[in-house]
Amino acid sequence: MDKEHILLVEDDEVFSRVMTHALLHRDYEVSHAANEDEALLLIKSTLFDYAILDLNLGGHTSLGLIAPLKQSNPSSRILILTGYASITTAVEAIKLGADNYLAKPADADEILSALIADTDKSNATAHPEATHLEPMSVRRLEWEHIQKVLNEYDGNISETARQLKMHRRTLQRKLQKRPVAK
Amino acid sequence: MDKEHILLVEDDEVFSRVMTHALLHRDYEVSHAANEDEALLLIKSTLFDYAILDLNLGGHTSLGLIAPLKQSNPSSRILILTGYASITTAVEAIKLGADNYLAKPADADEILSALIADTDKSNATAHPEATHLEPMSVRRLEWEHIQKVLNEYDGNISETARQLKMHRRTLQRKLQKRPVAK
DNA sequence: AGCGGTAGAGACAATATGCCGCAGCCCTTG
DNA sequence: CAAGGGCTGCGGCATATTGTCTCTACCGCT
C-alpha cells in the first residue's frame, strides 16, 4: 500500500528539517510548507492523511488551514503544535476541527503519537499497546524548553529568565549543570 | 418567554451556593447537582439550555455528562469549569462536545460570558491576536506536561511518577498545588 | 487472610530557589 | 571622559521544594 502522506507546516528551519527526517525515517511521505500560502497550494494539489501545523507562522496562525484540509480530506487528522501553548488557543483549535494540540518541546515520537493516537477515550477498548512510548521526564522537558527560549533570545540569560518567569540566578545555576540524559 | 434553565454541577458547597445566587440574580432558572448521579436524574427530567460542569467531582470527571446533555438538548451549551486547568483536559473536554472551558478562579460574569459567548468562527480567520507571544514559563510547562502524562496513564499517580522519573511523593505534592497562572 | 499495587500523609535531611549585594564588562550618550 | 544601563558571574543566606523513608489504609485477586 501507499505511504501515508503528511503535511508539515512549520516556519522554523531547524525544527522542520529534523522533523521531516524523523518522519521520512518512519516511512511517511512528507510535504513541507513554511507559510500559509505554500500550504494552501500543497493542499490543493495533494490529499494528505495527516497534517502537523505550527500554530504561529510569522504573523498569523495556521488555524485557517484546518478548514481547507478537512474539506480536501475529511478523514485527515490534524495536529496543532506550538511553542506558545495556551488553553485558549487549544480550545479554539479543537473547535475549529483540529484533532489534537501539543505544546513544544516535544520529540518526534510524541508528536506522531499525538497525531495518530485515538485520543477518544470513550471507546477505550483493547488498544494495540505497540505505541506505548515513554514520555519525557520533567527535567528533560525543562532543559529542552530552556535551551529553546535561550536560543530565541540569542543567549541572553537575563531576558530568558524574565520570559521564563524564573530568577536569573536560578537560570544561571541550571545552565551550569549538565544537560539531562533522559 | 420562559427563563433560560441552567444546570450547575459542582461539588464545592460554597462555590455552588454563590454561583447559584449570582445566576438567579441574573434571571436564570438554576438546578444544582453535587455529583454525577444527581446530575443525570436532573437531565432526565428537565431540558437545559446551559450547563456549567465542574471538571473534578470528587473522584470522577464530569465529562460523562456531556453526552446525555447534548442528547437531551442538542442545542444546549456546555461550559467546563475547573480549578486544575490544563491543555490536555481542555482538549479532551472540547472533543467530547463541551462548548467552552474555563479555569477557576473566575467570577460569575466571566463564567456566564464563556457560557453564552458566540464562538463565531468567522472572526477566527480575521483575528489578529497573535500578540500573545511569550513562551510558557517552565512551571506552566511542567504542569501541562504532568497533566498530559497523568491523563495518558488514566490518573495513576504512581505510574506517572515512574514515567516522569520523579518521586511519587513529589508528584503527589505538585498535584495538590494549583496550576500556575502563566 | 495474604499479596501486590495504589494513595495520602508525616518527618527530616539534602537540595534548589529566591533574593540580596558586588564587581567586572561592554555599550551608548551627554 | 564619565556616567548610566544592561548583562554576567558569583558569594551568602533564608526559605521552599525534593528525596527518602515510614505508616496506614483501601482495593482486587487468589
Side-chain angles (χ1 to χ4, degrees):
Chain A
M1 96 186 184
D2 285 343
K3 290 182 184 178
E4 296 190 292
H5 205 150
I6 298 184
L7 172 64
L8 209 210
V9 183
E10 164 67 71
D11 58 355
D12 181 304
E13 262 291 339
V14 182
F15 181 83
S16 58
R17 203 162 46 231
V18 172
M19 195 62 207
T20 299
H21 284 167
L23 293 174
L24 289 174
H25 185 257
R26 287 168 178 74
D27 218 33
Y28 286 96
E29 195 170 346
V30 180
S31 295
H32 171 251
N35 59 58
E36 193 160 10
D37 293 334
E38 284 183 31
L40 284 171
L41 284 179
L42 286 170
I43 293 171
K44 270 184 198 155
S45 64
T46 320
L47 262 189
F48 291 99
D49 301 290
Y50 300 103
I52 298 171
L53 312 181
D54 189 306
L55 181 57
N56 67 318
L57 301 170
H60 23 124
T61 76
S62 58
L63 296 180
L65 294 172
I66 296 177
L69 273 165
K70 285 289 184 183
Q71 193 165 25
S72 149
N73 176 11
S75 68
S76 63
R77 287 187 60 83
I78 302 175
L79 201 219
I80 302 293
L81 197 57
T82 174
Y84 304 85
S86 73
I87 289 177
T88 312
T89 57
V91 169
E92 192 175 347
I94 301 295
K95 281 191 192 171
L96 287 172
D99 294 280
N100 219 334
Y101 182 101
L102 201 57
K104 289 183 192 177
D107 60 35
D109 286 323
E110 268 185 286
I111 292 174
L112 218 37
S113 83
L115 185 60
I116 293 170
D118 184 23
T119 46
D120 190 357
K121 294 204 168 179
S122 57
N123 59 7
T125 47
H127 242 272
E129 287 303 323
T131 51
H132 232 269
L133 320 134
E134 54 180 61
M136 274 199 253
S137 72
V138 286
R139 299 215 151 111
R140 173 77 194 292
L141 185 77
E142 180 188 72
W143 171 265
E144 301 266 343
H145 190 238
I146 287 175
Q147 292 305 317
K148 176 169 190 127
V149 177
L150 190 57
N151 189 55
E152 228 164 88
Y153 291 94
D154 300 306
N156 182 327
I157 295 176
S158 298
E159 185 57 26
T160 300
R162 278 191 290 271
Q163 292 296 323
L164 259 24
K165 292 166 181 58
M166 68 185 342
H167 208 279
R168 178 177 70 92
R169 192 69 182 89
T170 301
L171 176 57
Q172 198 179 45
R173 284 190 279 233
K174 276 183 191 296
L175 289 173
Q176 287 174 335
K177 288 180 193 153
R178 326 186 112 240
V180 199
K182 55 184 276 197
Chain B
M1 92 184 192
D2 285 342
K3 290 182 182 179
E4 294 191 293
H5 205 151
I6 298 184
L7 172 63
L8 210 208
V9 183
E10 163 67 72
D11 58 356
D12 181 301
E13 262 293 336
V14 183
F15 182 84
S16 57
R17 205 162 44 229
V18 172
M19 196 62 206
T20 299
H21 284 168
L23 293 173
L24 290 174
H25 186 256
R26 286 169 178 74
D27 218 33
Y28 287 96
E29 195 171 343
V30 181
S31 295
H32 170 251
N35 59 58
E36 193 159 9
D37 294 334
E38 285 183 30
L40 284 171
L41 284 180
L42 286 170
I43 293 171
K44 270 183 198 157
S45 62
T46 319
L47 263 188
F48 291 99
D49 302 290
Y50 300 103
I52 299 172
L53 313 181
D54 188 309
L55 182 57
N56 334 73
L57 299 173
H60 313 202
T61 77
S62 58
L63 296 179
L65 295 172
I66 296 177
L69 273 165
K70 286 289 184 185
Q71 194 166 24
S72 148
N73 176 13
S75 68
S76 63
R77 287 186 58 82
I78 301 174
L79 202 218
I80 302 293
L81 196 58
T82 173
Y84 300 82
S86 74
I87 290 175
T88 310
T89 56
V91 169
E92 195 174 347
I94 301 294
K95 280 193 193 171
L96 287 173
D99 294 280
N100 219 333
Y101 181 100
L102 198 59
K104 284 185 192 175
D107 60 38
D109 288 321
E110 275 183 273
I111 293 174
L112 217 37
S113 83
L115 185 59
I116 67 182
D118 187 15
T119 48
D120 196 348
K121 306 192 178 182
S122 59
N123 63 7
T125 46
H127 228 289
E129 77 119 334
T131 45
H132 193 278
L133 279 182
E134 48 182 60
M136 278 204 259
S137 71
V138 285
R139 297 230 150 113
R140 176 67 195 291
L141 186 73
E142 181 187 61
W143 169 264
E144 294 294 346
H145 190 240
I146 287 175
Q147 292 303 318
K148 182 164 79 89
V149 177
L150 190 58
N151 191 273
E152 231 165 83
Y153 292 95
D154 300 305
N156 182 327
I157 295 177
S158 298
E159 184 58 26
T160 301
R162 277 191 292 270
Q163 292 295 326
L164 257 23
K165 293 167 180 58
M166 63 170 30
H167 208 280
R168 179 178 70 91
R169 190 70 181 90
T170 302
L171 178 58
Q172 196 179 45
R173 283 189 282 230
K174 278 183 192 294
L175 289 173
Q176 288 173 336
K177 286 181 194 153
R178 290 259 156 160
V180 209
K182 47 187 281 198

